[in-house]
Amino acid sequence: MTTSHVLFDVTEGIATLILNDAPRMNPLSHELMAGCLKALERVHDDSAVRALLITGAGKAFCVGADLSAFDSSTSVEARSSAGQIVGDLLSQGGNPLVSGLRSLPVPVVCAVNGAAAGGGTGLALAADVVIAARSAFFYLPFTPALGLIPDAGASWLLPRAVGRARAMGLTLMGNRLSAQEAAQWGLIWACVDDEGLSAQGLHIAQKLARLPAHAVQEVRELYRNSEVNTFAQQIVFERERQMELADRPSFDEGVRAFLEKREPRFQSRD
């Protein structure tokens, strides 16, 4: 599937989604988000897909909202509906997109090839594993540049990744966070050399594609529960999930592989 704003391909079980509005640095326009949502539907419905890799075309990953929709040359009446425009962009595109990424039945790898600004940061952090090129950076212009607040899930994802103090500082100060600093902060998995980003992203996607088909959903749910459970509640939850998972074929295959000193061969998606 290819549109003017999105490139999508599936090869050997790995789906690749490329944000493809490079001249404008891949803003989250209605067209781009609609293309991404269609790609996520394909991933969800195609049981042959075992992992998704998302990246951007050109020099940027994603610069966030398409600000051309808020051209200051428009009439006062049109400008007064800016809140509705923002609401529509989020309800029809941004929110379904980040929610869809976090609920896919396959692991999601994001390879941040350049600037991830505004909603582009939320989009990147919605992936399960995030790597970034050394020249890439993360930037939240919402408050210092626009008088807004972080959206596209960033207000939920960011403090859980780096803590409230760093999340507040990054949001209010408007500093660019380099890929190297993002890795040091624990915001992303790794910072890699620019020329190795594509290969490393594909390598990680291939590695995650070999996981048991249900494993990603289980791990996501595990850590989501850990954020609201007490320690006592969490260890009960762990026990309940382990009892059910140990009766699944993947556990039996893992045990056999260990005893036979070979790599496990897990089933495809149901």
Side-chain angles (χ1 to χ4, degrees):
M1 180 192 78
T2 300
T3 72
S4 59
H5 293 83
V6 166
L7 302 177
F8 180 77
D9 175 67
V10 178
T11 302
E12 296 182 350
I14 308 298
T16 301
L17 170 61
I18 302 175
L19 311 183
N20 189 41
D21 192 0
R24 299 200 303 149
M25 304 179 76
N26 305 318
L28 292 171
S29 62
H30 280 294
E31 295 81 5
L32 184 142
M33 290 189 290
C36 288
L37 288 170
K38 288 181 180 178
L40 297 195
E41 289 179 9
R42 288 276 304 277
V43 172
H44 187 278
D45 295 341
D46 187 351
S47 61
V49 175
R50 298 294 302 268
L52 170 64
L53 172 62
I54 180 171
T55 191
K59 296 182 179 180
F61 171 68
C62 175
V63 293
D66 181 7
L67 294 182
S68 66
F70 307 92
D71 190 343
S72 61
S73 66
T74 59
S75 66
V76 173
E77 292 77 9
R79 283 188 279 118
S80 67
S81 65
Q84 188 60 53
I85 296 173
V86 169
D88 290 344
L89 282 168
L90 289 171
S91 63
Q92 298 172 18
N95 290 353
L97 180 53
V98 294
S99 296
L101 284 170
R102 286 173 55 81
S103 62
L104 281 180
V106 299
V108 179
V109 179
C110 182
V112 180
N113 55 296
T121 294
L123 178 61
L125 297 183
D128 297 301
V129 177
V130 184
I131 62 172
R134 199 167 299 278
S135 64
F137 62 87
F138 298 84
Y139 171 50
L140 299 178
F142 297 98
T143 304
L146 299 168
L148 299 176
I149 58 174
D151 58 24
S155 68
W156 194 92
L157 295 162
L158 187 62
R160 284 166 171 78
V162 300
R164 183 179 184 275
R166 281 176 163 167
M168 285 291 289
L170 196 61
T171 301
L172 297 178
M173 300 295 289
N175 293 353
R176 293 184 176 186
L177 185 70
S178 70
Q180 184 172 350
E181 290 175 306
Q184 292 170 347
W185 283 18
L187 183 66
I188 63 174
W189 173 246
C191 167
V192 303
D193 292 337
D194 287 36
E195 59 271 20
L197 181 72
S198 295
Q200 184 65 10
L202 180 59
H203 172 73
I204 293 173
Q206 291 170 334
K207 184 172 183 177
L208 298 186
R210 294 192 290 270
L211 295 173
H214 61 283
V216 175
Q217 297 98 305
E218 292 288 346
V219 173
R220 288 172 181 156
E221 190 65 19
L222 178 74
Y223 288 127
R224 286 170 188 166
N225 274 272
S226 75
E227 291 161 356
V228 296
N229 281 348
T230 64
F231 179 77
Q233 290 170 331
Q234 188 68 7
I235 60 176
V236 170
F237 180 77
E238 291 172 349
R239 176 182 178 273
E240 291 173 349
R241 295 309 306 141
Q242 292 291 53
M243 288 176 64
E244 180 175 329
L245 294 172
D247 285 333
R248 298 189 66 150
S250 57
F251 180 69
D252 183 60
E253 165 60 13
V255 171
R256 289 177 179 272
F258 174 79
L259 295 175
E260 296 170 6
K261 296 180 172 56
R262 61 173 175 80
E263 290 295 317
R265 296 183 290 271
F266 296 117
Q267 296 178 358
S268 300
R269 287 168 53 191
D270 295 335

